[in-house]
Amino acid sequence: MRPAFSISTDFHDAFGCEPEGVYAASGRMELAGNHTDHQGGEVLAATVHLSIRAAVRRRMDRIVRVRSAGYPDVEISLDQSDPIPTEAGTPSALVRGTAAQWLGMGYPAGGWEALVSSDIPPGSGLSSSAAFAVLMLSIFNGLYSGNQVTALALARMAREAEVHYFGKPCGLMDQLAVSAGGFSHISFRDPNQPERESCFMDFSRHGLAFAVLNTGGSHAGLIEEYATIAQEMGAVAQFLGGSKLADVEESGIRRRSREIRLRFGDRAWLRCAHFYEENRTVRAMVKAMKTNRPDLFLQGMRSSGCSSVLCLQNIHPAGVFREQPLRVALAATDHFLQGEGACRVHGGGFAGTILACLRADRLGAYAEAMKPIFGTDAVLPLEVTGRGAGRIG
C-alpha cells in the first residue's frame, strides 16, 4: 500500500489540487462462523493490515468521482442513484449503491472526488468489495456528517449496496467487521441490532501467525451455490416455525431428523447441524482468546474447518469432482502442519482461499511447500490491525 503522503501526491497529479484527507478500510479474515450470519448465528472475524485507501477532496456540486488504478474512472450524480443492472459486479455499482443508501437515510451529502489505492490482492478472500463499500460510506461520513454515523449503520448501508447494486448475496459479517476493526465476535440473533464484542489475544507472543492460501479458483458463477446454503437452512427453519435457524432449538431439528431428511434432503440436515456446531465453536474460540489459550483456539479453528468440509459442504461446487482446489489446499496444508497449527476454508468457500494459523517461523517453509501446488506468491501472510474504517490522514 502506498503511504498517505504518496497517495496525496498522486491525488494532486490526478486532480490538480490537494486532498482534504486520506481514508482507509481494511480487509478482513474470517476465523470462525462460516455461513452463520444469515441465519442469526455467531462469527469471529478480524481486520488485517491490507487495506484500501482513498485521498479525498469534496466538490461544490453533487458529483462523485472515483479514480482507481486498474479500473475505469467512476463518475456518478447524487441525483441519479437508482440501480443500473449493467453495473452489477463493478466499482460503479458500489459507488452508486453506497451513495443511494447514504441519501436514503437522509444524511447530509455532497459531491467529492477520490483517488483510490489498494494492496488487497484480487481473489485473496479478504472481502475487498465490503472494504470498498465501507470506505465509500466512511468518506461521506467524514466529509459531510462529522463522523457521527456509527460503524453498525455504515455496515448496514454497505451490505445493502453490495446486495442490491453489486449483486452479491451476503450477510452483515464482512461489512461490520471491516467497519469496526480489530477482532470482532458478533452475534446476529437480532439482525436489526447485532451484538459485537471486541476480543484480543497476541498471537505473535505465542509464536503464531495467520496466512491465506490462494488456490487461484474464481468465485465467478458461484452465486447460486452461496444462495442455496441460506435457502436450505432457511427452509428447515421455516418448517419448524422460525424465520431463521437461530429461532429454532437444535433439539427440535435432532428430534425431527428423519422427517427433515426426507423432506429437504440430507445436505440440508447437515448444513443445519453445521450452524449449531459452528456457533459453539465460535464461543469456544472467543473464550480461548480471553483466557490466553492458543491451544484451545487452534482446536476450535480445526473444528470449524472440519464442520465446513463434513457438514456445510462448501469445499467445491455440487457435482464437481475433477477440480477441487480448496480440498487440495486443505489436505496439503494439513500435511505440512502435522498437528502444529490449524486450517479451514475461508469465507464463502467453493473456490478461492483457505486460512491457516501456524508457527510464525514456518511461514517461509509453508510458502515454499505450497509453491509446487499453487505457484509463487500463493501464500499471503496476514497481520491483524485494530483500526476500523475512517480517516487516517
Side-chain angles (χ1 to χ4, degrees), residues 165-249:
Y165 284 74
F166 193 66
K168 177 183 178 182
C170 58
L172 188 60
M173 184 267 286
D174 294 345
Q175 300 82 4
L176 185 50
V178 168
S179 186
F183 287 100
S184 293
H185 170 212
I186 311 170
S187 170
F188 292 98
R189 175 174 286 275
D190 180 354
N192 295 316
Q193 197 62 43
E195 297 180 4
R196 177 188 172 271
E197 171 191 23
S198 294
C199 48
F200 180 77
M201 183 169 71
D202 189 348
F203 287 86
S204 63
R205 184 181 175 188
H206 297 286
L208 295 172
F210 294 99
V212 287
L213 171 58
N214 191 347
T215 69
S218 171
H219 290 98
L222 293 174
I223 289 179
E224 185 176 348
E225 295 285 353
Y226 300 134
T228 298
I229 293 176
Q231 290 166 3
E232 290 183 354
M233 289 180 172
V236 174
Q238 291 171 21
F239 175 66
L240 295 177
S243 63
K244 56 188 183 300
L245 284 179
D247 301 329
V248 177
E249 293 293 333

Side-chain angles (χ1 to χ4, degrees), residues 39-352:
Q39 295 299 308
E42 300 182 40
V43 302
L44 177 60
T47 44
V48 300
H49 70 292
L50 302 171
S51 64
I52 306 177
R53 296 188 184 187
V56 181
R57 185 181 181 89
R58 78 186 75 202
R59 295 169 58 96
M60 295 300 104
D61 55 20
R62 291 175 62 80
I63 298 297
V64 171
R65 297 174 61 199
V66 177
R67 178 167 294 178
S68 182
Y71 295 92
D73 288 358
V74 176
E75 181 172 311
I76 70 160
S77 168
L78 297 182
D79 298 319
Q80 206 311 86
S81 56
D82 292 334
I84 297 178
T86 56
E87 287 183 347
T90 70
S92 296
L94 290 174
V95 176
R96 191 179 306 279
T98 51
Q101 295 304 313
W102 184 265
L103 292 166
M105 294 300 295
Y107 297 128
W112 46 268
E113 51 197 7
L115 181 67
V116 175
S117 176
S118 174
D119 61 0
I120 301 178
S124 58
L126 300 177
S127 284
S128 58
S129 62
F132 185 83
V134 171
L135 176 63
M136 297 297 101
L137 289 158
S138 296
I139 293 170
F140 278 115
N141 196 22
L143 293 180
Y144 293 104
S145 193
N147 294 310
Q148 294 301 303
V149 180
T150 66
L152 175 57
L154 294 177
R156 283 177 174 148
M157 290 185 282
R159 178 191 176 274
E160 291 298 302
E162 285 204 74
V163 172
H164 299 294
Y165 284 74
F166 193 66
K168 177 183 178 182
C170 58
L172 188 60
M173 184 267 286
D174 294 345
Q175 300 82 4
L176 185 50
V178 168
S179 186
F183 287 100
S184 293
H185 170 212
I186 311 170
S187 170
F188 292 98
R189 175 174 286 275
D190 180 354
N192 295 316
Q193 197 62 43
E195 297 180 4
R196 177 188 172 271
E197 171 191 23
S198 294
C199 48
F200 180 77
M201 183 169 71
D202 189 348
F203 287 86
S204 63
R205 184 181 175 188
H206 297 286
L208 295 172
F210 294 99
V212 287
L213 171 58
N214 191 347
T215 69
S218 171
H219 290 98
L222 293 174
I223 289 179
E224 185 176 348
E225 295 285 353
Y226 300 134
T228 298
I229 293 176
Q231 290 166 3
E232 290 183 354
M233 289 180 172
V236 174
Q238 291 171 21
F239 175 66
L240 295 177
S243 63
K244 56 188 183 300
L245 284 179
D247 301 329
V248 177
E249 293 293 333
E250 181 181 7
S251 59
I253 289 183
R254 299 285 180 182
R255 187 168 57 250
R256 301 181 68 177
S257 291
R258 182 169 177 80
E259 189 177 358
I260 290 169
R261 290 174 59 206
L262 289 172
R263 181 181 288 262
F264 300 102
D266 286 347
R267 188 176 68 175
W269 185 92
L270 286 163
R271 284 175 165 171
C272 292
H274 163 83
F275 171 82
Y276 297 105
E277 183 62 31
E278 191 76 340
N279 285 334
R280 283 190 288 270
T281 296
V282 168
R283 292 191 289 270
M285 291 172 70
V286 171
K287 182 179 179 180
M289 293 177 68
K290 291 179 177 179
T291 55
N292 204 32
R293 290 288 303 273
D295 57 327
L296 296 181
F297 180 92
L298 292 173
Q299 180 179 310
M301 190 170 166
R302 293 186 203 104
S303 176
S304 175
C306 182
S307 185
S308 291
V309 173
L310 294 179
C311 297
L312 185 60
Q313 301 177 59
N314 64 335
I315 307 303
H316 57 81
V320 174
F321 302 103
R322 181 175 177 83
E323 296 180 356
Q324 300 184 32
L326 287 186
R327 194 178 292 274
V328 171
L330 291 168
T333 300
D334 189 62
H335 175 76
F336 174 84
L337 293 175
Q338 293 293 301
E340 292 189 301
C343 62
R344 64 185 292 277
V345 64
H346 188 233
F350 296 108

